[in-house]
Amino acid sequence: MIRENIKSSLLKKKGTKMSFNGKVITLEKKDENIQRACSSIMENYLPIFLPFNKLRKNNPLYKKFIDNGNILRIENKYGVLEIRNRLITQQHKDILETMLSNSKSYIGEEQTMFVTIESRYDFLKQIGMCTTNYKYLEEKIKELEDISISSKYQTTNGKIIEEQFGIIAAIKMVEDITKSNHKKIIKVKFTKEFTAFYLDSNLLDYKKHINKIAELPTPFLKSIARYMLIHNKHQINISTFIENLGFDKIFTRNEINRKKKELEEYKECLKDLNIEVVSSKDKQSNTIKIDTDESKILIQNREKKQRQFTF
């Protein structure tokens, strides 16, 4: 199980206080690596955030999820994943990464991260969405609150780790109706387990690329980008990528063929992320490459318990 007892010595000097659901909570500045991080290696290797914009009821994957009691189980090269209660997509990942990287984030006395979205307009602008579509933003955040994640994987020292956690514990929205623009502030409290996971994981800092990822034309390209940005120098065949992430269990054969064509069609969009697509003769066996000196991995050394995948 994930470690919940985070030592107070990891926290910095106390900051301000805020009220959350009637309780005053002392806020602390986050651990330096968490302050920089926008994701973790596990999130980008396991298909927690599915490569879709929206899953319709006639989608075979959605039907499988419903028939299995609102549980989706996916096994890939890096581990086994179970998603419960709700399926979340790359759109949710856009929002989560932006919350973690651009908003005020803290660790409070309850050992949890907090995020405050001061401007819904600015937030939506950052993820390339219509800046007045407040309903979309609020719905996606609420959907992140619904999900429960179970994962199982092996560390580099041969240990098998199994854990289960949700992402968001509570949401509070405060609207000032005394102002003409009815400004609404959104406060998000993450779960203790998700916070502990971040304190004990190898994290990723590619904040300067978040807007570019969010603006990619398809969710499949977003999945590719987030996987490739784990690495500095790496290349992988598109078929191997699909198999390694378990997408061959998510897409039908026809969908896989369409995704390969999609990669060829939109390959220029990945260049701003230093990701190159080398085309094959048949356009079905393209190779994805990244070659950069940019440092993105943040190593967490919490009592040598950091989660490192076997690759």
Side-chain angles (χ1 to χ4, degrees), residues 23-271:
K23 183 177 181 180
V24 177
I25 301 169
T26 303
L27 302 178
E28 317 253 2
K29 288 187 176 181
K30 289 200 302 180
D31 169 272
E32 183 180 352
N33 278 356
I34 291 184
Q35 189 67 45
R36 292 174 55 194
C38 61
S39 188
S40 67
I41 289 180
M42 189 198 88
E43 289 172 73
N44 291 27
Y45 270 135
L46 296 179
I48 297 170
F49 300 90
L50 298 168
F52 298 90
N53 279 330
K54 186 177 182 179
L55 279 162
R56 304 188 183 279
K57 291 183 179 180
N58 62 350
N59 184 290
L61 187 68
Y62 182 82
K63 289 181 178 179
K64 181 180 178 181
F65 171 71
I66 296 298
D67 291 344
N68 198 36
N70 288 4
I71 300 172
L72 178 65
R73 187 179 189 276
I74 304 172
E75 184 171 354
N76 71 10
K77 177 183 177 181
Y78 307 105
V80 180
L81 173 72
E82 280 191 358
I83 303 169
R84 297 172 180 267
N85 303 331
R86 178 182 289 279
L87 299 178
I88 54 177
T89 68
Q90 289 292 308
Q91 288 185 337
H92 296 89
K93 183 62 169 165
D94 293 339
I95 289 170
L96 180 61
E97 285 185 347
T98 305
M99 280 198 293
L100 290 172
S101 61
N102 292 336
S103 302
K104 297 176 182 178
S105 302
Y106 303 87
I107 298 172
E109 291 174 345
E110 296 185 348
Q111 312 291 5
T112 57
M113 290 190 291
F114 294 84
V115 167
T116 301
I117 299 173
E118 300 280 356
S119 169
R120 294 172 295 169
Y121 176 93
D122 290 340
F123 193 98
L124 287 164
K125 187 176 181 180
Q126 288 174 347
I127 60 174
M129 296 296 297
C130 173
T131 51
T132 57
N133 195 352
Y134 301 146
K135 183 180 178 181
Y136 167 86
L137 175 61
E138 293 170 12
E139 283 181 350
K140 294 302 175 186
I141 293 174
K142 288 176 182 177
E143 287 168 4
L144 281 168
E145 185 181 18
D146 294 339
I147 189 174
S148 175
I149 300 163
S150 299
S151 62
K152 179 180 179 180
Y153 52 88
Q154 185 174 339
T155 64
T156 51
N157 60 5
K159 292 183 178 180
I160 303 294
I161 293 181
E162 296 184 53
E163 55 194 1
Q164 181 172 338
F165 57 88
I167 296 175
I168 292 176
I171 303 164
K172 181 178 182 179
M173 300 187 189
V174 181
E175 186 172 5
D176 189 349
I177 60 174
T178 64
K179 296 183 179 180
S180 58
N181 62 356
H182 282 210
K183 181 180 179 181
K184 182 184 283 188
I185 295 174
I186 303 174
K187 299 179 181 181
V188 176
K189 175 184 176 182
F190 292 95
T191 65
K192 291 181 180 181
E193 293 81 8
F194 185 71
T195 302
F197 169 74
Y198 259 56
L199 279 168
D200 203 29
S201 295
N202 288 339
L203 305 175
L204 295 166
D205 173 15
Y206 48 79
K207 283 185 289 193
K208 69 179 184 179
H209 297 307
I210 287 178
N211 292 9
K212 297 174 187 176
I213 297 171
E215 291 172 359
L216 286 171
T218 76
F220 182 62
L221 290 182
K222 292 179 182 183
S223 297
I224 291 173
R226 289 181 166 118
Y227 169 85
M228 294 302 290
L229 286 172
I230 295 171
H231 311 277
N232 283 355
K233 301 182 189 299
H234 184 64
Q235 68 177 46
I236 189 169
N237 179 275
I238 181 59
S239 296
T240 305
F241 167 79
I242 288 171
E243 291 172 8
N244 284 359
L245 267 74
F247 289 171
D248 55 332
K249 302 175 181 67
I250 292 173
F251 295 129
T252 64
R253 184 174 298 179
N254 288 337
E255 284 176 326
I256 289 174
N257 289 334
R258 288 199 295 269
K259 296 306 174 187
K260 290 179 177 180
K261 291 178 181 178
E262 186 179 294
L263 175 63
E264 175 66 23
E265 181 180 357
Y266 293 113
K267 63 182 182 181
E268 296 298 317
C269 299
L270 293 169
K271 285 189 174 179

